[in-house]
């Protein structure tokens, strides 16, 4: 952790408590729980969640009156780096995706009834949720392009559609579903809405947990393929206004990218620490640790520089967002999204290499991150989408519209 940006007097204490929880409780739990089924993990994680909550470490980004810690974007960003170091860090403080983003949009756009029914139990950790936007048959990189339709019938919406990569759908109580409510609308940006669908609604079909990178799709993280077959929900389940689906999604993306990037920096710091520790202790011959090799020294130096740079860039983007809003900070947000996702891949990969065969075992978290965080370059906007947005914005200043 670098110098703390102390925006409130107790922030250093909060970060210290979180660091202790990571070191003393969550890192040791990784070797005990990884590879186990969710049913085996859940009770152990529930114990640590309660411990965290007892220490006041709970839903950091939600206002205090909702039971959260009321951290600002910049404060929360710094906590995310601490939590990112452990696989279970975010879950234990109930600030993991997709619940965290869903809480934010329910808080900002939900009606009193929706807050009571969905937001409060989510904050309390009684239920989980998912966000259902991407579809197998449409390019997710163009979020206004989709096949799921919600048709009005009496006082209800009837939803039909096929989605995938609905993360955490298995076991979730409800989904926030992005669907077209005005498929022929003149503006493509006003055709879609977000609608809350309880997952016990008749017609909701959980097809499968998608196998990812060699694991069967179960366990700690799951991404589901689902169908909405004439799912009928009351019109009161509409979030925000009709046609506001796209603009609501945009509001969740800016802060979400700051959170993701800082979580990745936390992963980088842990991978970096493991790399240095291994380089210092693994001997090629008596008295000749790996650290004596220049290639390894270069990986250490380059990783240090890249992690420092990534953190400074994210904090700079967060400051700009806090000062002038997401729209004015869109270049900075896109820059950190692809930059940090790529630093993450590099640092984890180097750390694996320094560990040799041990690096790809499940005795360390590195192989888990190597497989699961590959998605960082795809979700919340693939690298190429962000790079082209950055270039487009810059080129506008040169009179070119591309
Ligand atoms: C781990 C993970 C978790 C996810 N969780 C969720 C979730 O909870 N809910 C949900 O709805 N979705 C989720 N997604 C889906 C994610 O949002 C999409 O994968 C993403 O939007 C990209 O869409 P796509 O996969 O359809 O790729 P496509 O849109 O088909 O794009 C494929 C590739 O084409 C290239 N490309 C695309 N556009 C451009 C462009 N403009 N310029 C140059 N190249 C381009 C990029 O290389 C891109 O990777 C998740 C994805 C992952 C990997």
């Amino acid at each position: 952790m670098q110098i703390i940006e102390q925006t409130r007097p107790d922030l250093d204490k909060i970060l210290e408590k979180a660091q202790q929880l990571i070191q003393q409780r969550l890192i040791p739990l990784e070797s005990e729980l990884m590879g186990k089924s969710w049913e085996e993990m859940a009770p152990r994680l529930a114990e640590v969640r309660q411990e965290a909550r007892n220490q006041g470490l709970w839903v950091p980004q939600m206002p205090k009156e909702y039971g959260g810690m009321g951290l600002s974007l910049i404060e929360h960003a710094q906590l995310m780096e601490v939590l990112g170091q452990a696989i279970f860090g975010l879950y234990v403080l109930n600030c993991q995706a997709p619940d965290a983003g869903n809480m934010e949009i329910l808080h900002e756009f939900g009606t009193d009834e929706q807050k009571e029914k969905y937001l409060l139990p989510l904050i309390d950790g009684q239920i989980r949720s998912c966000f259902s936007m991407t579809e197998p048959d449409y390019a997710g990189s163009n979020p206004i392009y989709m096949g799921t339709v919600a048709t009005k019938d009496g006082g209800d919406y009837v939803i039909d559609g096929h989605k995938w990569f609905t993360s955490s759908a298995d076991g979730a109580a409800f989904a926030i579903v992005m669907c077209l409510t005005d498929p022929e609308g003149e503006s493509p940006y006003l055709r879609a809405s977000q609608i809350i669908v309880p997952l016990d609604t008749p017609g909701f079909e959980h097809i499968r947990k998608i196998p990812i990178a060699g694991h069967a799709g179960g366990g700690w993280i799951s991404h589901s393929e689902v169908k909405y077959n004439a799912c009928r929900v009351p019109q009161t389940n509409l979030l925000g206004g009709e046609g506001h689906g796209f603009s609501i999604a945009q509001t969740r993306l800016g802060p979400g990218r700051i959170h993701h990037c800082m979580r990745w920096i936390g992963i980088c710091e842990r991978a970096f620490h493991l790399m240095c520790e291994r380089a210092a202790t693994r001997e090629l011959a008596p008295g000749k640790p790996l650290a004596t090799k220049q290639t390894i020294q270069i990986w250490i130096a380059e990783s240090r520089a890249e992690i420092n740079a990534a953190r400074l860039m994210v904090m700079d983007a967060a400051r700009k967002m806090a000062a002038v809003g997401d729209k004015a900070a869109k270049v900075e947000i896109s820059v950190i999204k692809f930059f940090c996702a790529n630093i993450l891949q590099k640092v984890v990969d180097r750390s694996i290499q320094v560990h040799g065969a041990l690096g790809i075992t499940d005795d360390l978290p590195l192989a888990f991150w190597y497989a699961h965080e590959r998605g960082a370059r795809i979700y919340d906007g693939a690298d190429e989408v962000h790079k082209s947005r950055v270039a487009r914005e810059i080129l506008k200043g040169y009179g070119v519209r591309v």
Side-chain angles (χ1 to χ4, degrees), residues 217-285:
W220 168 237
I221 290 179
S222 69
H223 308 288
S224 292
E225 181 175 352
V226 301
K227 272 194 175 164
Y228 301 88
N229 304 305
C231 276
R232 183 177 283 274
V233 296
Q235 283 177 29
T236 49
N237 281 22
L238 176 72
L239 250 174
E242 207 171 81
H244 294 183
F246 184 68
S247 60
I248 295 174
Q250 291 297 102
T251 62
R252 95 179 245 178
L253 285 175
R257 284 170 183 150
I258 300 282
H259 303 164
H260 276 311
C261 289
M262 290 304 277
R263 177 175 71 81
W264 300 335
I265 290 170
I267 295 176
C268 286
E269 286 290 4
R270 174 107 178 269
F272 178 77
H273 169 67
L274 289 169
M275 171 164 67
C276 296
E277 209 171 49
R278 186 71 174 174
T281 54
R282 180 72 160 174
E283 292 187 330
L284 291 165

Side-chain angles (χ1 to χ4, degrees), residues 131-134 138-141 164-167 223 375 378-380 382 384-385 388:
F131 186 74
S132 201
M133 178 157 134
T134 308
Y138 291 80
S141 301
W164 83 336
F165 276 84
T166 298
S167 301
H223 308 288
I378 298 169
Y379 60 73
D380 274 5
E384 297 70 29
V385 175
S388 95

Side-chain angles (χ1 to χ4, degrees), residues 87 267 270-272 274-275 347-349 351-353 355 358-361 363-371:
I87 289 176
I267 295 176
R270 174 107 178 269
F272 178 77
L274 289 169
M275 171 164 67
V347 174
V348 170
D349 185 66
S351 187
I352 287 177
Q353 196 67 14
H355 282 85
L358 173 63
I360 58 165
T361 67
D363 292 353
L364 296 175
L366 297 170
F368 172 82
W369 283 324
Y370 189 72

Side-chain angles (χ1 to χ4, degrees), residues 50-68:
Q50 193 54 53
E51 280 174 36
R53 205 169 177 173
N54 293 345
Q55 294 182 53
L57 297 172
W58 192 248
V59 275
Q61 82 285 15
M62 278 289 115
K64 285 190 174 166
E65 60 272 26
Y66 281 87

Side-chain angles (χ1 to χ4, degrees), residues 284-348:
L284 291 165
K288 270 219 157 252
L290 288 174
T292 55
K293 297 290 168 196
Q294 196 180 32
T295 306
I296 308 253
Q297 294 163 9
I298 288 171
W299 287 340
I300 290 171
E302 287 183 351
S303 300
R304 183 70 275 152
E306 287 161 353
I307 302 168
N308 288 1
R311 181 186 295 104
L312 289 170
M313 283 165 77
V314 181
M315 292 303 286
D316 179 56
R319 271 191 296 269
K320 184 157 182 193
M321 261 181 74
V324 292
D326 301 19
K327 241 186 179 161
K330 64 182 166 195
V331 168
E332 286 78 2
I333 294 170
S334 279
V335 164
I336 59 166
K337 171 61 182 56
F338 73 78
F339 186 81
C340 296
N342 281 272
I343 297 300
L344 169 68
Q345 314 288 311
K346 270 200 210 173
V347 174
V348 170

